[in-house]
Amino acid sequence: VAPASHKSREGIAELFEERFDPEDPPETAEELTMFARERLGELIEDADVGMTGANFIAADSGTMMLVTSEGNARKTVTATDTHVAVAGVEKIVPSAEEFAPFVELIGRSGTGQDVTSYISTLTPPVDSPVPDFEDDDEPLADGSGDDRDFHLVLIDNGRLAMREDEELKETLYCIRCSACSNSCGNFQSVGGHAFGGETYSGGIATGWEAGIEGLDTAAEFNDLCTGCSRCVPACPVEIDIPWINTVVRDRINRGEADPGQTDWMFEELVPDEEPAGLDLGTRIVGNYETLAKWGSRTAPI
Ligand code: SF4
């Protein structure tokens, strides 16, 4: 589903050819998938450290839940002996019991599945043995995972300040299911590169960007939300996304952002200097009353 869902099969084939120059370039979906799988497998075998995010972290036990479509997080954690998990502080919930409702909401809201393909709950450092990829016969022969290392990096980066901001704090409820993007007409047209920032994409990205990166970067795409409200019933945690976008727009308009960020809009709205005389085509088409009269008279012909 991400991050390459906007790419065509042909586009992926081209990219693989350009980057890896394979002897026998893969073309079909199956060949491309197998090529990616083998290439990633080689990289994973060589890796010393595995990095993941975390969808939720239980405060009482340190257990974390990871939701993926391809099993990549689980592979990352088990195949390497050092696991570094990086997550925003808003991902912390009291205990593993609170994982249950969210795991249902993410799959159903994001992709329409009852549950997503891979749900991993782990309490690091996990004690499964680190595989020895050189040993084809018994890769897990070395026994325990005693020498595994684990580091959790919790990111604030503006989130705790957002929690104190009465108008932006709802943004922190977001579970990143992407239902708002799926229901947004503008997002479907322009995609996440245009409608999104560093933190997230789609309608909810404005709130994230305003709280974490600042109003200047939120101003770059805030206007892509027209306030149509289609995303409101789609959001499983009932965030009023258009309202957050209105709040951010209001702050930008009050001059709280760098004014240079909106100069482009005024330049687009002000017409270029008019030429001294209009050309014949413009005069005819622009004079629509006469054009309509002549059109009616000559229509039977
Ligand atoms: S704002 Fe709501 S719908 Fe959008 S990604 Fe977050 S939880 Fe999902």
Side-chain angles (χ1 to χ4, degrees):
V1 291
S5 55
H6 61 299
K7 289 218 170 260
S8 66
R9 180 173 58 78
E10 291 79 8
I12 295 172
E14 246 171 60
L15 182 70
F16 282 2
E17 204 169 337
E18 189 186 302
R19 293 292 295 271
F20 304 114
D21 192 20
E23 271 177 30
D24 193 10
E27 283 175 16
T28 65
E30 289 77 11
E31 287 168 359
L32 290 166
T33 307
M34 198 46 75
F35 182 84
R37 191 185 168 89
E38 281 166 11
R39 173 87 189 134
L40 284 170
E42 287 163 17
L43 293 173
I44 289 169
E45 281 182 22
D46 288 345
D48 296 319
V49 175
M51 283 188 74
T52 68
N55 289 86
F56 298 100
I57 303 164
D60 61 352
S61 60
T63 301
M64 61 176 62
M65 186 181 82
L66 292 151
V67 175
T68 68
S69 300
E70 303 88 3
N72 41 331
R74 189 181 302 176
K75 202 174 282 175
T76 303
V77 170
T78 49
T80 56
D81 61 10
T82 302
H83 173 200
V84 181
V86 184
V89 286
E90 82 282 8
K91 304 288 186 181
I92 299 175
V93 295
S95 70
E97 275 178 38
E98 277 76 32
F99 293 169
F102 291 119
V103 80
E104 286 183 17
L105 291 179
I106 288 181
R108 283 181 197 170
S109 313
T111 56
Q113 296 162 291
D114 279 343
V115 286
T116 191
S117 318
Y118 290 86
I119 299 164
S120 306
T121 50
L122 44 111
T123 308
V126 292
D127 55 12
S128 59
V130 181
D132 177 1
F133 292 105
E134 307 285 307
D135 186 342
D136 284 342
D137 298 328
E138 286 188 88
L140 301 178
D142 263 356
S144 80
D146 286 349
D147 53 353
R148 282 182 181 274
D149 244 335
F150 172 68
H151 305 272
L152 173 63
V153 182
L154 285 173
I155 308 272
D156 171 7
N157 197 22
R159 287 165 172 82
L160 293 180
M162 282 167 82
R163 193 173 61 169
E164 304 306 317
D165 185 325
E166 280 306 312
E167 293 170 321
L168 282 190
K169 76 174 179 192
E170 254 190 53
T171 309
L172 295 169
Y173 303 165
C174 175
I175 57 170
R176 318 279 179 119
C177 69
S178 74
C180 50
S181 305
N182 292 343
S183 63
C184 174
N186 283 350
F187 183 88
Q188 296 300 322
S189 301
V190 301
H193 290 295
F195 196 170
E198 288 291 318
T199 335
Y200 205 49
S201 53
I204 193 63
T206 297
W208 278 115
E209 205 69 8
I212 285 174
E213 293 288 326
L215 286 175
D216 293 351
T217 53
E220 288 172 12
F221 58 91
N222 173 268
D223 289 318
L224 286 170
C225 172
T226 54
C228 76
S229 299
R230 268 175 71 178
C231 54
V232 175
C235 178
V237 289
E238 299 184 351
I239 301 174
D240 192 343
I241 301 161
W243 164 246
I244 291 174
N245 285 332
T246 305
V247 166
V248 172
R249 191 167 305 148
D250 181 53
R251 291 182 184 181
I252 294 166
N253 290 342
R254 285 174 195 277
E256 291 172 36
D258 171 7
Q261 293 289 331
T262 46
D263 282 354
W264 64 271
M265 198 166 69
F266 297 109
E267 276 162 26
E268 294 295 323
L269 289 173
V270 176
D272 295 338
E273 208 176 314
E274 296 276 357
L278 297 177
D279 61 50
L280 185 64
T282 310
R283 288 217 304 268
I284 293 171
V285 177
N287 192 353
Y288 60 86
E289 276 185 32
T290 311
L291 192 70
K293 266 187 225 156
W294 279 102
S296 302
R297 281 180 200 164
T298 54
I301 305 168

